[in-house]
Amino acid sequence: MASVNVYLDKQEYGKDKVRLLKVHKDTKVHRVDDLTIRCLLSGSSFTTSYTEASNKAVVATDSIKNTCYVLAKSSKNVDTLELFAAELANHFLDTYRWVEGAHVTIIRHRWARMIIDGKPHTHSFWRDGDETRQTDIFIKRGPNCKGRRTIELKSAIAGLLVLKTTGSSFEDFVRDEYTTLPETKDRILSTCVDSTWEFNVPAVDSVNLIATLSQIPFNNIYDSVRDVTCDTFAKDESASVQATLYKMAAKSIQNWKWLERVSYALPNRHFFAVDLNYFRGTKNLQEHATVYQPLADPSGLISATVARSVGARL
């Protein structure tokens, strides 16, 4: 067989699934941030670790893990995922001059404060479902290894499970020889929301990176996107998941000048009324339906990205 020339096209390496709990004890009312972190490094200097088995440029993944803990101890931004992720990424670029790109993903797991004797408890919490807040940042060193940084930043909600028992229809869709689904004027609508929003962040010098990003109200934007998602889901007289999705995404872009795109992926979790007519003629279809069978699979999947028009920034 003739030899074939190959080359290393791209690479990233680092530490994944770094578990970290930060307890904020600055007041008597404690707060917690329960995080899962991934830090990946890239750059041409790492090529020889793949092609020549040389570890001269390799920062051990254990050192990357330790960095997460050390910075979490000193950082004032752990409760703002985007800023803490930026701190981590910028640290790797500042500390190791041969690193060209740092890619950090952080997942925040929900804890809700316990209500004890009718009052919020100062230091006790319960796990508030599987929904997570997430952020993903890629910071790249500027040309000629200068202090300039380019930033790709997006954040997300994942696993927000919602359901409403009325206010949703599905009619006037294509009917042909493959169609068995009846049209309905009223149905249960349920989905598990995954939403991602992309920020417009200009290139910035390393020394000003955190100060520049601090001007963006990340926590307020997260709360707002979540509120818009729930508010639109609840109030919209939904003609389809597609129509409701578009309203959610468009509203968040209109609310925040920093957002370039908002994406949703909405699996349609089906609930079908059980035909009880076989049991003494019990009515449980259409307007009589109160007992349903949940069917998780197969499910519809509706996804879309809504983007800001050119020149439409507030």
Side-chain angles (χ1 to χ4, degrees):
M1 181 181 294
S3 63
V4 177
N5 292 328
V6 299
Y7 67 97
L8 184 67
D9 187 30
K10 58 183 178 180
Q11 62 78 216
E12 280 186 322
Y13 88 98
K15 206 69 165 181
D16 193 13
K17 299 180 182 178
V18 179
R19 297 289 288 116
L20 184 158
L21 180 73
K22 175 71 178 280
V23 181
H24 302 270
K25 298 181 178 180
D26 46 316
T27 70
K28 292 183 178 180
V29 179
H30 293 177
R31 296 175 293 113
V32 295
D33 286 298
D34 183 357
L35 310 179
T36 299
I37 304 173
R38 172 192 291 173
C39 296
L40 302 176
L41 309 181
S42 58
S44 58
S45 294
F46 297 119
T47 298
T48 55
S49 68
Y50 295 86
T51 62
E52 301 177 20
S54 172
N55 294 326
K56 296 296 185 183
V58 174
V59 181
T61 65
D62 190 65
S63 301
I64 295 173
K65 175 204 69 178
N66 292 339
T67 300
C68 296
Y69 295 129
V70 173
L71 266 63
K73 179 65 176 180
S74 60
S75 176
K76 304 298 183 183
N77 295 313
V78 177
D79 59 353
T80 303
L81 297 191
E82 294 83 355
L83 294 181
F84 185 48
E87 284 184 354
L88 284 167
N90 207 38
H91 167 88
F92 292 117
L93 293 172
D94 285 343
T95 304
Y96 308 106
R97 56 181 174 77
W98 59 91
V99 174
E100 297 172 14
H103 187 182
V104 176
T105 304
I106 302 180
I107 300 171
R108 185 178 191 267
H109 308 278
R110 291 175 66 90
W111 288 98
R113 194 174 300 279
M114 287 187 181
I115 304 299
I116 304 298
D117 297 328
K119 299 179 181 179
H121 200 267
T122 58
H123 58 266
S124 297
F125 306 85
W126 58 279
R127 172 51 60 85
D128 189 10
D130 295 328
E131 176 194 347
T132 59
R133 174 180 175 178
Q134 304 183 8
T135 198
D136 183 280
I137 191 168
F138 179 63
I139 302 182
K140 188 175 181 180
R141 193 183 301 279
N144 303 317
C145 293
K146 300 292 186 181
R148 202 71 170 164
R149 305 282 192 259
T150 60
I151 303 169
E152 297 175 12
L153 175 59
K154 58 186 177 182
S155 294
I157 297 168
L160 171 59
L161 185 59
V162 294
L163 177 150
K164 67 178 182 180
T165 56
T166 190
S168 174
S169 62
F170 190 54
E171 302 176 287
D172 199 29
F173 52 88
V174 173
R175 305 200 69 85
D176 58 21
E177 65 269 29
Y178 303 104
T179 305
T180 59
L181 183 71
E183 295 188 355
T184 180
K185 295 182 180 296
D186 188 46
R187 62 174 181 170
I188 289 177
L189 179 59
S190 180
T191 187
C192 191
V193 177
D194 287 344
S195 179
T196 302
W197 48 101
E198 300 176 30
F199 293 92
N200 176 57
V201 182
V204 64
D205 290 333
S206 172
V207 294
N208 298 320
L209 191 146
I210 299 303
T212 299
L213 290 179
S214 295
Q215 299 175 24
I216 302 175
F218 292 111
N219 291 339
N220 291 343
I221 291 173
Y222 165 79
D223 290 338
S224 173
V225 173
R226 190 178 188 277
D227 287 347
V228 164
T229 299
C230 293
D231 186 78
T232 306
F233 178 84
K235 295 179 179 178
D236 185 41
E237 290 294 326
S238 178
S240 67
V241 177
Q242 288 89 333
T244 302
L245 180 160
Y246 185 82
K247 293 175 184 178
M248 292 174 177
K251 181 65 173 178
S252 288
I253 290 179
Q254 292 164 2
N255 285 347
W256 299 101
K257 64 181 180 180
W258 294 277
L259 302 188
E260 281 296 304
R261 296 176 183 82
V262 176
S263 301
Y264 280 89
L266 303 178
N268 197 350
R269 301 168 68 94
H270 299 294
F271 291 77
F272 292 114
V274 179
D275 186 355
L276 299 178
N277 189 56
Y278 303 101
F279 305 96
R280 300 180 182 178
T282 302
K283 295 181 179 180
N284 193 59
L285 298 178
Q286 299 178 343
E287 70 272 15
H288 303 289
T290 58
V291 176
Y292 299 82
Q293 179 185 19
L295 292 176
D297 301 310
S299 68
L301 177 61
I302 295 84
S303 63
T305 298
V306 178
R308 183 182 300 277
S309 299
V310 175
R313 191 168 307 284
L314 296 176

